Amino acid sequence: MNAPLIDPFQRAISYLRVSVTDRCDFRCLYCMSENMTFLPKKELLTLEELDRMCSTFIRLGVRKLRITGGEPLVRRDIMTFFRAMSRHLESGDLDELTLTTNGSQLSRFAADLAAAGVRRINVSLDTLDEAKFARVTRWGRLAQVMNGIDAAQAAGLRVKINAVALKGFNEDELFTLAEWCAARDCDMTWIEVMPMGDLGNEDRLDQYWSLDDLRARLAERYTLIDLAERTGGPARYVQLEQTGQKIGFITPLTHNFCESCNRVRLTCTGELYMCLGQEDMADLRAPLRVSEDDTALEEAIRNAIAHKPKGHDFDYSRQRADGQMTRHMSHTGG
Ligand code: SAM
Ligand code: SF4
């Protein structure tokens, strides 16, 4: 009954990313439009339903849970959910409970997250310049995020910085960001901007800075040692020989690593996306709500995994944003 989740390409699904809200206190240019329409609250899974969903996936073999959004820490009472999930860490059924955050609420929640068993978090930070930060996030304040990172480190959380590579925006911060992360003992990952959501006047090709180019520029100053480390995700890592620092690259566009993909994504309304870059999804909210018993839900999950596609179709190579997704990253959870 509890056979692990294996997809048609023999990939074991051990990693679930869960978006707990589509709302956010920032409006990053590449992620949201200024006037976003958010889902009515009744559409969202309740915290109890999120618990049932995640616990079912864990029963079916998921070992790593990443909480994301929107901004996960703006969801009301989200610490109740983190505390509830910690029971799976204690039982040994879950290896890791983690989150991706913009950092704005970390001053309030870092200690509670650590107490719930969270050990590592990803904080998104594209620039160290206050004015540029305000521009790219529209509503964010850099100082608040810096305080949040301080609080996270003080609580003993390991922080990884995620930066979206944006042409003409943070190209000039390649080394300052790397050096700042090294000084703060943070790992760092660069992400290629993906064609998500219809954001109106932002021209995606204008924003796109290839990580092949970024990497080549990094290599002008440092010797890059390729690391074999894999997380089943699209990230590849190098170590800078001179500093020992680790830098990751998430390159959904210039390279495609779908063959080793071990993950699926659950939206805050209970839709399961088998691939970030494909429209295929399964509604898990209906089978969840149909009964208190999890049999229908388990069957729906197995059925969905049996349809996980081989890979995505993002492609900028023809100077068009091919494979463009109509939904926003904040919906599926980045
Ligand atoms: N609000 C949290 C945050 O910003 O970390 C979690 C959700 S956010 C959607 C997750 C990640 O997706 C962030 O690192 C963000 O920079 C990234 N992201 C959003 N839109 C993107 C896009 N169009 N292309 C690439 N990365 C994107
Ligand atoms: Fe909010 Fe994160 Fe999207 Fe920025 S990237 S708008 S912080 S969800």
Side-chain angles (χ1 to χ4, degrees):
M1 187 60 201
N2 282 348
L5 297 169
I6 309 280
D7 83 355
F9 305 95
Q10 299 310 308
R11 297 170 297 193
I13 306 306
S14 56
Y15 182 3
L16 178 67
R17 298 173 76 107
V18 184
S19 171
V20 294
T21 178
D22 61 336
R23 289 163 200 256
C24 187
D25 51 347
F26 290 1
R27 290 289 181 279
C28 302
L29 289 173
Y30 47 75
C31 180
M32 293 193 180
S33 59
E34 181 125 41
N35 305 308
M36 288 292 287
T37 313
F38 293 110
L39 293 162
K41 293 228 168 67
K42 65 177 181 359
E43 292 289 314
L44 300 195
L45 298 178
T46 64
L47 294 179
E48 293 74 21
E49 287 174 331
L50 279 168
D51 186 326
R52 257 183 82 196
M53 282 281 188
C54 294
S55 301
T56 304
F57 273 97
I58 291 166
R59 208 161 50 242
L60 297 179
V62 159
R63 309 274 327 165
K64 177 170 171 179
L65 205 56
R66 178 175 293 280
I67 309 306
T68 178
E71 174 47 43
L73 298 182
V74 302
R75 170 100 193 229
R76 185 192 287 259
D77 283 341
I78 195 63
M79 283 307 132
T80 306
F81 173 73
F82 275 98
R83 277 191 291 272
M85 286 302 102
S86 68
R87 73 181 185 276
H88 298 301
L89 292 170
E90 282 156 19
S91 71
D93 292 334
L94 189 64
D95 293 332
E96 188 169 25
L97 174 61
T98 183
L99 103 143
T100 299
T101 175
N102 66 22
S104 69
Q105 308 301 315
L106 277 174
S107 316
R108 280 205 285 159
F109 293 129
D112 291 345
L113 287 166
V118 174
R119 294 287 167 262
R120 301 188 302 166
I121 61 171
N122 289 356
V123 179
S124 303
L125 181 65
D126 302 328
T127 174
L128 294 169
D129 178 285
E130 221 171 293
K132 280 163 78 179
F133 186 85
R135 182 144 50 92
V136 75
T137 62
R138 288 200 188 97
W139 296 3
R141 285 192 305 111
L142 182 63
Q144 195 178 341
V145 173
M146 290 298 174
N147 289 340
I149 295 172
D150 287 342
Q153 291 190 315
L157 300 175
R158 178 115 196 111
V159 175
K160 186 174 78 156
I161 299 296
N162 282 344
V164 176
L166 298 165
K167 194 161 122 192
F169 179 77
N170 53 14
E171 282 173 278
D172 56 343
E173 293 188 73
L174 175 60
F175 297 116
T176 36
L177 269 165
E179 282 154 17
W180 183 86
C181 288
R184 300 281 312 227
D185 192 25
C186 297
D187 289 326
M188 159 161 215
T189 294
W190 285 95
I191 308 175
E192 276 176 349
V193 69
M194 287 177 258
M196 308 293 290
D198 177 10
L199 304 181
N201 57 7
E202 262 76 54
D203 183 340
R204 214 56 72 125
L205 283 166
D206 265 5
Q207 295 179 344
Y208 176 56
W209 175 21
S210 145
L211 292 197
D212 278 352
D213 180 60
L214 186 153
R215 195 190 148 113
R217 290 201 218 170
L218 204 57
E220 286 170 14
R221 186 172 301 186
Y222 297 106
T223 313
L224 310 186
I225 306 165
D226 281 307
L227 298 178
E229 183 178 323
R230 298 283 183 271
T231 57
R236 292 297 175 268
Y237 296 92
V238 297
Q239 192 165 31
L240 309 187
E241 190 179 79
Q242 290 78 355
T243 65
Q245 191 187 0
K246 212 170 70 172
I247 297 201
F249 305 100
I250 299 185
T251 54
L253 296 153
T254 46
H255 301 287
N256 173 323
F257 295 114
C258 303
E259 71 279 358
S260 59
C261 179
N262 63 354
R263 61 198 56 197
V264 287
R265 293 175 156 83
L266 186 71
T267 69
C268 53
T269 57
E271 294 167 342
L272 186 72
Y273 281 88
M274 275 64 80
C275 171
L276 182 61
Q278 297 284 358
E279 300 284 4
D280 315 49
M281 63 87 171
D283 171 32
L284 298 183
R285 190 177 60 183
L288 176 93
R289 288 185 176 169
V290 82
S291 121
E292 307 248 304
D293 172 89
D294 292 332
T295 315
L297 176 61
E298 282 196 21
E299 196 181 309
I301 293 173
R302 287 195 187 284
N303 195 26
I305 300 299
H307 292 93
K308 183 167 160 67
K310 195 166 180 196
H312 62 71
D313 299 322
F314 292 143
D315 184 4
Y316 283 122
S317 60
R318 279 160 285 192
Q319 293 305 300
R320 288 183 291 127
D322 280 2
Q324 167 107 27
M325 301 301 304
T326 48
R327 63 183 192 272
H328 290 96
M329 190 73 112
S330 53
H331 180 66
T332 328

